[in-house]
Amino acid sequence: MPLALLAAVCVITLVSKRPLDIGFLLGAIPPLAVLSYGPVATAILGALVIGLQHTRVFHLDHPGNTDLLTIGFVSVLSVFVSYVRSHRDAQLDLERTVAEAAQHAVVPPLPARVGPVRCTGLYRAAQSGTLVGGDFFDVRQSPRGVRVVMGDVQGHGLAAVSTVASLLGAFREAVLDQPALPSVAARLDRRLCVDSAENRRPELFATVVLLEFSPDARAVRIVACGSPPPLLLHDGKATEIEVTPGTPLGLGLSPGSSYEEATVRLQRGDRLFLASDGIWEARDTRGSFYPLIDRLPDLADDDPVVTTRRVWRDLVRHCGEIRDDVTMLLLTPEPVSPV
């Protein structure tokens, strides 16, 4: 903008057949330069403005002493403000880099494959500028097969990050030493109950769905703790897997043995689509829920990344403004042929 204004003033004065009293516009150039340039460039533009006012060819060579002093003072002040802004921007960039590193440490990028299962995830935090919110997912190899978690803790944004980190840590420990999914759910429930008591937040809870693929990826076991079950994509159709719902984690209402496990046999080409409440409960301006089950088959593609992006774009078109964390996880098991 400063360069455009400078060029416009020069061109207009050159093509005009009579002198124009528009030199005052040059006084806006140093303050505008503060928005885009550093102190050195701002100082150069300020000097250039004063120089142009003394160049006869532009017919701007009759400024009064007050005008020159005013523009000179504005230029010096602009250089100082530009220095302060540049220093602040550098500090903000450093803080943003540290924050992104910390958030990636909490929820690292999802690997493209874990054992015989291909993984594709998409996450959009409700709080702008953050990489982590109230939703989370993870896929880990365990001695008993690939285990998956996707959940949604109470609240969203940075306030939920500590709870997400605690649950993911508990999941990664339980993956290695717990013999079955119900016991993994019980471990997460205990972790959340302890955190809730320590923080004096009895209302703290989370909804979670857990999956365990058999070592040959020909079957999957599922436990739902207050979370919607996965969708099975098979032969161009999307169906909701029947899972007995358990209570959300953190309420201390269910012992580990009360979580019921469902087992589903898988065929080659089957895919499992997991979606958070941000998708299931999304509504348009008329209050209509997003029809995920109906639209998913038409949005599915051989490339799982394309599928998740299509669902995201379709969700935005349906709802307009997204006010909750949105998470989706597409799992493509590749069954191992029997020897």
Side-chain angles (χ1 to χ4, degrees):
M1 188 180 297
L3 294 177
L5 180 59
L6 183 64
V9 171
C10 292
V11 170
I12 291 173
T13 54
L14 286 174
V15 300
S16 176
K17 296 181 178 179
R18 59 186 181 85
L20 298 177
D21 189 15
I22 60 174
F24 68 93
L25 294 175
L26 296 176
I29 291 177
L32 289 176
V34 173
L35 302 176
S36 304
Y37 301 105
V40 175
T42 301
I44 293 174
L45 285 172
L48 187 59
V49 165
I50 296 175
L52 287 175
Q53 290 187 317
H54 290 82
T55 304
R56 295 182 177 275
V57 68
F58 293 109
H59 307 292
L60 298 171
D61 55 335
H62 299 291
N65 291 332
T66 301
D67 295 331
L68 288 175
L69 289 174
T70 300
I71 292 179
F73 174 76
V74 170
S75 298
V76 172
L77 182 61
S78 297
V79 171
F80 173 75
V81 174
S82 178
Y83 170 78
V84 174
R85 181 195 60 79
S86 299
H87 182 72
R88 182 199 62 186
D89 289 349
Q91 183 66 26
L92 289 176
D93 288 341
L94 177 60
E95 293 176 358
R96 187 179 297 111
T97 300
V98 172
E100 290 180 355
Q103 293 181 76
H104 277 305
V106 174
V107 183
L110 192 67
R113 175 186 291 271
V114 178
V117 181
R118 294 170 55 197
C119 314
T120 302
L122 185 144
Y123 183 41
R124 295 290 185 270
Q127 185 170 334
S128 177
T130 62
L131 302 178
V132 180
D135 288 359
F136 62 94
F137 55 74
D138 200 3
V139 182
R140 296 278 165 166
Q141 182 73 58
S142 80
R144 297 165 182 83
V146 176
R147 286 179 171 176
V148 182
V149 63
M150 191 174 83
D152 181 6
V153 305
Q154 177 199 21
H156 53 75
L158 295 178
V161 173
S162 61
T163 306
V164 168
S166 180
L167 284 175
L168 283 175
F171 171 75
R172 291 161 185 166
E173 288 286 339
V175 159
L176 299 176
D177 53 29
Q178 293 302 313
L181 280 186
S183 58
V184 174
R187 177 69 67 86
L188 300 182
D189 181 62
R190 186 183 68 178
R191 178 72 269 166
L192 204 54
C193 287
V194 171
D195 290 348
S196 179
E198 291 177 350
N199 296 328
R200 297 181 181 180
R201 294 178 58 189
E203 75 282 2
L204 186 63
F205 66 91
T207 57
V208 168
V209 60
L210 295 162
L211 287 77
E212 180 184 277
F213 291 91
S214 59
D216 61 2
R218 303 182 72 86
V220 62
R221 286 173 284 275
I222 305 168
V223 170
C225 308
S227 181
L231 298 180
L232 177 63
L233 280 168
H234 175 75
D235 287 341
K237 297 180 180 179
T239 56
E240 186 175 297
I241 298 176
E242 294 185 5
V243 181
T244 301
T247 58
L249 303 179
L251 302 180
L253 299 178
S254 301
S257 58
S258 68
Y259 292 110
E260 295 189 22
E261 184 181 79
T263 301
V264 178
R265 302 298 300 177
L266 299 173
Q267 302 178 23
R268 189 169 296 276
D270 288 351
R271 288 174 288 176
L272 295 175
F273 186 89
L274 287 73
S276 67
D277 292 341
I279 299 178
W280 287 107
E281 298 178 0
R283 305 190 188 194
D284 61 12
T285 55
R286 296 171 296 180
S288 300
F289 287 101
Y290 177 67
L292 176 61
I293 298 178
D294 296 332
R295 296 193 181 183
L296 183 57
D298 294 331
L299 298 172
D301 187 85
D302 293 337
D303 186 346
V305 175
V306 173
T307 300
T308 54
R309 290 177 179 174
R310 284 179 177 177
V311 174
W312 167 250
R313 289 194 294 265
D314 190 58
L315 179 70
V316 172
R317 283 194 296 266
H318 177 84
C319 302
E321 183 180 3
I322 306 298
R323 299 182 179 180
D324 196 3
D325 298 327
V326 170
T327 306
M328 61 188 82
L329 188 60
L330 186 58
L331 304 170
T332 307
E334 297 181 346
V336 178
S337 300
V339 179

